[in-house]
Amino acid sequence: MTLEFPGPFLKDPNDQEHRLKTACATIGRAVECDIVIGSKSTSREHARIRLDGHRWFLEDLGSTNGTLLNEERVVTPMELRDGDTISVGDVIFTFHDPDTTTRESAIPDLEVDTTAGVVRVNRRAVSLSPKEYLLAAYLYDHRGEVCSKDEIGRAVWPEYESGGIFDYQIENLVRRLRTRIELDPADPQLLVTVRGLGYKLLVA
């Protein structure tokens, strides 16, 4: 399958563009690869970018040193979006898709991967404390719903079976989580306060 230009491409650290001219492109040290990297840290067939419908995915091909998408190791195929960074060995590419229509949004793209224990904001993993993660996971599991402080207290502090969690502790935890996931913590668009009732997580 041949793609029409301009089409998606990878830009390397030298600003050279590597066009994805087919629906499946391999990256590696072997001369047979579509994008050849002459680095010892790169496996012969290191990674693959493939088109599935209208979406592009990145896969690691069992490489020795692994493949990273936005600094997160690729274990299963991961969807690519315009502006993503791809690390193949010690070479970092930037994925560009000119056909992608970008839209500025005040609400960040939040994902809570409970299987991996990872929280991503705009597709990039964020570092959270254990309690911040428990709060994010609980709110994400109940996204779109108003969660009372009592419910949050029981979910985040299960060690206190008979209560004993004060409002200020929950408010401080919410404030800290906002600094991690909001574009502007002072004007939260994702984790909002519902006065007199509790908190609500707004996720598309």
Side-chain angles (χ1 to χ4, degrees):
M1 176 181 177
T2 302
L3 303 175
E4 295 182 359
F5 288 105
F9 62 91
L10 300 184
K11 181 175 286 189
D12 65 25
N14 296 319
D15 285 335
Q16 181 179 352
E17 296 180 0
H18 303 268
R19 297 281 173 180
L20 302 179
K21 299 179 182 179
T22 64
C24 185
T26 55
I27 307 171
R29 201 173 69 250
V31 294
E32 297 83 8
C33 291
D34 298 284
I35 300 174
V36 179
I37 302 175
S39 170
K40 293 182 179 180
S41 65
T42 304
S43 298
R44 286 183 55 79
E45 291 190 349
H46 197 109
R48 175 168 52 218
I49 296 177
R50 61 176 176 82
L51 182 64
D52 186 352
H54 298 287
R55 300 183 298 169
W56 290 91
F57 288 85
L58 174 67
E59 301 175 66
D60 181 77
L61 298 177
S63 65
T64 301
N65 294 316
T67 304
L68 304 181
L69 175 60
N70 298 326
E71 300 182 0
E72 183 178 345
R73 186 159 187 151
V74 175
V75 179
T76 59
M78 299 179 70
E79 185 179 353
L80 289 167
R81 295 184 187 174
D82 186 59
D84 282 346
T85 58
I86 301 171
S87 300
V88 179
D90 56 4
V91 179
I92 300 177
F93 295 94
T94 303
F95 176 78
H96 291 286
D97 188 353
D99 294 330
T100 301
T101 301
T102 57
R103 175 173 60 87
E104 292 295 329
S105 173
I107 301 180
D109 180 13
L110 177 71
E111 177 191 0
V112 178
D113 186 343
T114 54
T115 302
V118 175
V119 174
R120 302 183 186 92
V121 177
N122 291 337
R123 294 170 52 78
R124 285 171 168 77
V126 295
S127 177
L128 300 179
S129 70
K131 292 301 183 186
E132 289 167 353
Y133 174 79
L134 286 176
L135 175 58
Y138 179 77
L139 293 174
Y140 191 80
D141 191 48
H142 296 81
R143 53 193 179 277
E145 304 174 12
V146 177
C147 300
S148 70
K149 291 181 178 179
D150 287 341
E151 292 169 333
I152 291 173
R154 288 193 295 269
V156 177
W157 286 273
E159 62 271 26
Y160 293 100
E161 296 180 0
S162 59
I165 300 302
F166 297 99
D167 284 359
Y168 79 87
Q169 292 173 277
I170 296 172
E171 291 163 2
N172 286 341
L173 184 62
V174 168
R175 190 176 302 113
R176 294 200 304 273
L177 181 58
R178 280 173 172 159
T179 65
R180 301 291 190 182
I181 66 175
E182 295 282 2
L183 298 179
D184 181 3
D187 183 24
Q189 303 296 314
L190 188 62
L191 174 49
V192 300
T193 301
V194 182
R195 293 192 179 280
L197 297 177
Y199 300 96
K200 181 192 291 189
L201 188 66
L202 303 176
V203 180

